[in-house]
Amino acid sequence: MKFLESKLLTIYKSSYFPFMILLIGMLLLHFMLNLDHPGDDKAFMKVLGKDHLIPLSYLTERYHTWSSRVLIEFILIFVVHFPAVWRLLDTVMMVLIAVSMSKLIPTAKNREKNWLITALLFMYPFVHMASAGWIATTLNYIWPLACGLFAMIPIKKYLCSEKVHWFEFLFYIPALIFAANQEQLCVILLSVYGVFTVYSALIKKVNWFMIVQTIISIFSFLFILTCPGNAARNVKEVNRWFPEFNTISLPRKIEMGFSSSLFEFVMKPNLIFTLFSFLLLLCVLLTHHKKILRFIAGIPFAASLVFGIFSNELGGTFYAITKAKNSMTKFGTGIRMNSVTSWVPDLLLVIISLAVLISLYFLFKNKKTSLIALFILLLGFGSRMIMSFSPTIWASGPRTFLFMYVAFIMLTFLLFQIILDSKSKIFKALSINTVVFLAILSFFNTFYTLR
């Protein structure tokens, strides 16, 4: 009995125990999902013939007429026939996302870090993954994300002079190839590996593996760009979802991408952004005494409350709040040069964005950390800005924000670390209790929503 108690206590004290809670929570959510959703799941159910062999002609046709995601769809064609297997594997992918994040962020307080990552992943609105059918959407977004984060781990190991065993390459390389088959993630991976390969060259710490991964990312990017199916699909999607898309000017498309990306986090109730901006303000209050910087750091948090969490209550009294929130149209915020009031929504978003960038840059004493934080933020934002050039910018729904959510999650951890390392017991208690409360509330909200 004592042996069993000792083992259970060891497991509980383990730094990976939080991920066991994540595993249990995700299993619970996945096994209660109703998979009878319309969408791509049903379409892929029809691909396999009676002999259960994938007709190569199908994948060839998809490449020439629809999509460059041949690797993702190759796996999807099989997995869609085994819902129970998908429930297990998708849960594993969520845990892999958590483990990879933990490996990518160095800190001595691993258990606290893993609890925070678990809490933040519970806050992600998982219902976004239902938009094109649960199985099809997660295989096109969650699985590439998990593999992409995993494929970035050697970068951190090399930069921190940690040993990378030869057999790890057998996992990192296939993970990168699979992840880079997803367009948004391919751009992220190419940017990450490209930047750190150049950085390694500058500090004379070049590694052949970094070069190989960068080359793979480049080839994946070129494969996507030259795929005839992507061009053919674009024409069909324009006709189906956005007939006016080709007549819209480039500045208008960029404005659409900019405003639609930030509306998701600022102009809607968004717990992850609210928590991020709240911790950003606390961190600046802890580390800086200049009133101007504290004021700037308070702008994103105030905006998340005014235009997000409490917008319905405040909008009844201040009509301008409601008007700004409702300014989003099929063509962006409808900004016009001859109407000053039409500039207001974008000006607000620009001010909030600059406040975040300035606060992050001046927050960290080590400017390398500041640059990494800004790089993470710009990667997440850039992954959504890519949708500016897609006629499915609206039709694709909220799933395209996934990588931007992950960027805010990783930044939130960096902020939380500052608070944990501080001497302020009040701020520590306030931050921890806020995170725990929001995580539990979010989990039960997701549980109830998905029933």
Side-chain angles (χ1 to χ4, degrees):
M1 191 68 178
K2 289 183 178 180
F3 175 78
L4 179 60
E5 290 179 359
S6 176
K7 282 293 182 183
L8 291 175
L9 186 61
T10 301
I11 293 172
Y12 172 73
K13 290 183 177 181
S14 168
S15 61
Y16 287 101
F17 178 74
F19 295 152
M20 294 179 66
I21 301 301
L22 178 65
L23 176 69
I24 294 170
M26 286 298 165
L27 277 175
L28 181 61
L29 291 179
H30 278 78
F31 275 90
M32 60 166 284
L33 287 177
N34 178 9
L35 297 183
D36 294 330
H37 269 268
D40 293 344
D41 288 2
K42 290 185 178 181
F44 280 99
M45 285 284 291
K46 301 174 183 178
V47 176
L48 286 181
K50 292 182 180 179
D51 54 0
H52 297 290
L53 294 175
I54 298 178
L56 292 177
S57 59
Y58 175 80
L59 289 175
T60 303
E61 181 185 359
R62 293 281 289 184
Y63 170 76
H64 285 286
T65 64
W66 194 253
S67 176
S68 57
R69 298 181 188 178
V70 290
L71 292 178
I72 294 172
E73 293 189 351
F74 176 81
I75 296 173
L76 174 57
I77 287 169
F78 285 107
V79 174
V80 76
H81 288 273
F82 304 98
V85 173
W86 169 79
R87 294 177 198 270
L88 289 171
L89 291 178
D90 199 60
T91 298
V92 170
M93 289 297 175
M94 291 298 295
V95 176
L96 179 59
I97 289 172
V99 173
S100 299
M101 282 185 179
S102 180
K103 294 291 185 181
L104 287 168
I105 307 172
T107 177
K109 300 177 180 179
N110 284 323
R111 198 166 189 271
E112 290 87 343
K113 170 178 66 176
N114 295 343
W115 272 120
L116 177 62
I117 292 172
T118 296
L120 291 171
L121 286 178
F122 277 140
M123 288 184 209
Y124 173 71
F126 192 64
V127 69
H128 287 182
M129 291 295 109
S131 52
W134 284 107
I135 299 177
T137 307
T138 53
L139 258 83
N140 278 278
Y141 288 89
I142 295 293
W143 292 31
L145 171 63
C147 292
L149 289 172
F150 178 73
M152 293 181 196
I153 292 176
I155 297 177
K156 177 257 182 178
K157 286 190 172 184
Y158 283 126
L159 294 179
C160 295
S161 300
E162 297 177 19
K163 187 175 181 180
V164 181
H165 301 282
W166 67 267
F167 58 83
E168 293 181 52
F169 304 148
L170 301 177
F171 300 97
Y172 292 137
I173 292 177
L176 176 68
I177 293 172
F178 177 79
N181 198 219
Q182 209 274 359
E183 300 85 355
Q184 289 174 282
L185 203 52
C186 181
V187 174
I188 291 175
L189 290 166
L190 177 58
S191 301
V192 171
Y193 266 101
V195 166
F196 284 104
T197 298
V198 172
Y199 175 74
S200 298
L202 292 175
I203 63 174
K204 297 180 180 180
K205 200 175 181 180
V206 179
N207 184 278
W208 69 268
F209 178 74
M210 296 274 281
I211 296 173
V212 169
Q213 294 288 73
T214 302
I215 292 173
I216 291 174
S217 301
I218 292 172
F219 274 107
S220 297
F221 184 68
L222 293 175
F223 178 76
I224 291 170
L225 284 181
T226 58
C227 174
N230 287 335
R233 179 181 183 177
N234 187 72
V235 174
K236 296 174 184 176
E237 297 285 30
V238 166
N239 294 330
R240 182 182 181 186
W241 299 111
F242 208 153
E244 306 90 346
F245 186 77
N246 291 332
T247 64
I248 299 174
S249 66
L250 179 60
R252 176 67 70 183
K253 289 178 180 178
I254 293 174
E255 192 281 328
M256 283 168 50
F258 172 78
S259 58
S260 64
S261 297
L262 294 180
F263 256 62
E264 174 72 17
F265 295 89
V266 178
M267 297 292 185
K268 296 179 182 179
N270 192 301
L271 287 182
I272 288 180
F273 180 74
T274 299
L275 178 62
F276 161 78
S277 58
F278 173 63
L279 295 182
L280 181 63
L281 175 59
L282 289 188
C283 287
V284 171
L285 291 175
L286 275 172
T287 58
H288 290 78
H289 299 289
K290 291 183 178 180
K291 292 182 179 180
I292 182 63
L293 190 58
R294 289 183 169 192
F295 173 77
I296 292 173
I299 292 174
F301 180 55
S304 72
L305 297 180
V306 172
F307 296 103
I309 304 296
F310 301 118
S311 59
N312 289 335
E313 290 75 14
L314 294 174
T317 304
F318 303 100
Y319 177 66
I321 295 173
T322 302
K323 188 174 181 180
K325 281 175 59 68
N326 294 337
S327 63
M328 183 59 66
T329 70
K330 185 178 181 180
F331 304 97
T333 59
I335 187 170
R336 302 185 306 278
M337 296 304 296
N338 60 350
S339 174
V340 177
T341 56
S342 70
W343 305 354
V344 172
D346 278 349
L347 284 175
L348 286 171
L349 296 178
V350 168
I351 292 170
I352 294 164
S353 300
L354 288 175
V356 171
L357 293 173
I358 292 170
S359 300
L360 283 176
Y361 181 77
F362 287 102
L363 176 62
F364 302 97
K365 292 181 180 179
N366 186 336
K367 291 310 169 190
K368 285 185 179 179
T369 306
S370 296
L371 292 176
I372 290 174
L374 294 178
F375 186 49
I376 292 172
L377 181 62
L378 293 176
L379 281 175
F381 178 68
S383 71
R384 183 54 178 63
M385 274 296 293
I386 294 172
M387 296 303 296
S388 301
F389 309 102
S390 172
T392 62
I393 183 172
W394 310 115
S396 293
R399 61 182 181 268
T400 58
F401 291 96
L402 173 64
F403 310 115
M404 200 168 170
Y405 270 103
V406 171
F408 278 118
I409 286 173
M410 296 188 74
L411 289 172
T412 299
F413 172 77
L414 292 178
L415 299 176
F416 199 83
Q417 190 62 41
I418 294 175
I419 295 172
L420 287 181
D421 292 339
S422 73
K423 298 179 180 179
S424 174
K425 293 182 179 180
I426 295 177
F427 279 15
K428 283 182 184 179
L430 181 61
S431 302
I432 292 172
N433 290 331
T434 299
V435 169
V436 171
F437 173 74
L438 291 179
I440 293 174
L441 197 62
S442 298
F443 177 80
F444 281 105
N445 182 64
T446 302
F447 182 85
Y448 185 78
T449 303
L450 299 180
R451 289 180 65 237

